[in-house]
Amino acid sequence: MEDLETKQELDLHEGDYKKGVLTGILISAAVVLLIAAALLLVRQYSYRNTQYSGGTSSSADASGDAENIVSELTLSNTLSESTLAKLNYIYAVINKYYYEDINLDDLIDGMFAGIVEGLGDKYSEYYTAEEYERLSEKTSGSYGGIGALFGMDDETGYPTVMFVYSDTPAEAAGLEAGDYVITVDDTDVAGLELEEVIALIRGEVGTDITISYVRDDEVNTVIMTREELELSTVTGQMLDDGVGYIRITSFSNATDEQFAEYADEFLDEGMTSLIIDLRNNGGGIIDGAAGVLDYLLPEGTVVYTVEERDSVRKDYTSDEETQLDIPLVVLVNGSSASASEIFAAAIRDFEWGTLLGTTTYGKGVYQSTIGLSDGSGIKVTSGKFYSPKGNNFDGVGIEPDVVLEYENLAGEDADYSIENDNQIEKAIEILLNE
């Protein structure tokens, strides 16, 4: 194989090479100009993404305006002649030997993505215009979808239904938590990133989508019609003995308002203690988490961020207008990440409740996501989160006060219900004994 590859390289005839290089030079120049132009036209809009498995965002200003970014560093004045020559030659080889037609736009997008990937940081990412639009939908606004929350199952390698919202196409079709999706409109989703699968599921309102999923080793196929869905991140219900139960599936711009609606309603119904469920909550907008903490906690800093390079600190605070001073248990697990961990850390530092479950994921860094004029975007890790007492949990996670693995009390194969959730049962026991 090595000899064959060497021979093919030598067979790149001079005429083809010059033609390819000339084209490559033009492409390289165009790419460099595109990058510089994109940076020059960065919109003054950003938010920080804290997604766990292909996941989620916090809001803040970009560090520095576009002109300052470009004045500090551009590819046009950084790439050496040898780097440009290598880029030209690679393009010439691809242009001659690649077995299918080349999509130049895809190559350029791949180049942008490769620059960010070169950081070696799993949270930094380049988004095409389509990907960036979907990311924006995830944190605010409505979208055309089926009404299910998905996570990636490490064991199967397939996206798994984590939660089904009521009155949605997913609920009407019978999808349940634990189902894992294998195809979307005849596309095998094995090996795809979670964001790619979500991109396939979402689409124009009123269009049909066919999903095949596995439940109990049996393949099922359903057809649903996408509906205009308002992103809802909070659900809840009153349990016995005045215990309220509120589950937050992710943190968006509307989470604090949705949480307050449930909490106020439960207080009117006689709530005397509260369980907040952050299990499998991969994070989201930091403002959403800070907003809920503002409702719960007394006056003070609930979380602060530090841009490590410039030591710029930003505090998110709770005011004295509201605080919910009742017994509280917060449920967490290994899929509770980022904004969920911010939330748990604040509850612990304020000594405002009990953390119950298993050690959290350990994502204590945040990303700045900057939209570009062509609709694409760049997300880069910019700094760290710190709890009110100055603790950072990146790579470590937060160990709960009461460590308890999840168990379905009705049996491993039984359907999920709150009544058979051993962690909720333990939370109720703790609350009633306070």
Side-chain angles (χ1 to χ4, degrees), residues 35-43 66-67 70-71:
I35 294 173
L39 290 172
L40 282 167
L41 295 174
V42 170
R43 288 192 244 126
E67 291 183 3
V70 173
S71 67

Side-chain angles (χ1 to χ4, degrees), residues 35 76 188 195 219 222 244 292 328 342 361:
I35 294 173
S76 59
D188 186 348
E195 285 293 328
V219 177
V222 293
V292 178
L328 172 68
I342 289 171
Y361 179 73

Side-chain angles (χ1 to χ4, degrees), residues 217-422:
D217 297 325
E218 182 178 334
V219 177
N220 304 277
T221 300
V222 293
I223 300 176
M224 293 166 279
T225 301
R226 296 180 179 94
E227 294 182 358
E228 182 81 8
L229 300 174
E230 192 70 29
L231 192 63
S232 177
T233 60
V234 182
T235 59
Q237 65 183 80
M238 281 294 296
L239 308 179
D240 294 335
D241 301 312
V243 178
Y245 170 79
I246 297 179
R247 179 177 184 179
I248 304 175
T249 55
S250 64
F251 288 100
S252 72
N253 286 321
T255 298
D256 53 350
E257 293 182 5
Q258 295 169 6
F259 179 89
E261 288 177 3
Y262 273 99
D264 290 343
E265 179 183 337
F266 291 170
L267 288 170
D268 290 341
E269 295 177 13
M271 179 175 68
T272 56
S273 61
L274 175 62
I275 299 170
I276 298 177
D277 192 346
L278 300 182
R279 294 174 297 180
N280 301 316
N281 180 326
I285 299 286
I286 188 174
D287 296 274
V292 178
L293 289 169
D294 182 23
Y295 181 97
L296 295 170
L297 300 177
E299 185 176 10
T301 294
V302 298
V303 60
Y304 65 91
T305 62
V306 176
E307 292 183 7
E308 299 296 314
R309 176 179 293 184
D310 300 320
S311 298
V312 177
R313 170 170 168 163
K314 179 175 181 179
D315 285 58
Y316 295 80
T317 61
S318 172
D319 58 36
E320 59 182 6
E321 292 182 14
T322 61
Q323 66 180 62
L324 189 60
D325 193 6
I326 61 176
L328 172 68
V329 171
V330 177
L331 303 180
V332 294
N333 64 8
S335 294
S336 304
S338 194
S340 294
E341 294 173 288
I342 289 171
F343 190 99
I347 295 298
R348 168 169 287 172
D349 283 5
F350 273 80
E351 299 181 359
W352 211 251
T354 302
L355 305 184
L356 187 155
T358 55
T359 302
T360 61
Y361 179 73
K363 184 178 185 294
V365 293
Y366 66 86
Q367 287 69 45
S368 295
T369 304
I370 303 172
L372 306 180
S373 62
D374 63 354
S376 61
I378 304 170
K379 178 182 71 175
V380 291
T381 298
S382 303
K384 293 181 177 180
F385 296 119
Y386 290 90
S387 74
K389 291 185 177 180
N391 298 315
N392 177 264
F393 42 81
D394 191 53
V396 179
I398 299 171
E399 184 174 346
D401 304 307
V402 178
V403 177
L404 180 65
E405 294 281 350
Y406 168 76
E407 178 186 353
N408 190 328
L409 299 175
E412 185 177 342
D413 297 328
D415 292 338
Y416 175 82
S417 70
I418 287 180
E419 293 76 16
N420 294 325
D421 188 322
N422 71 314

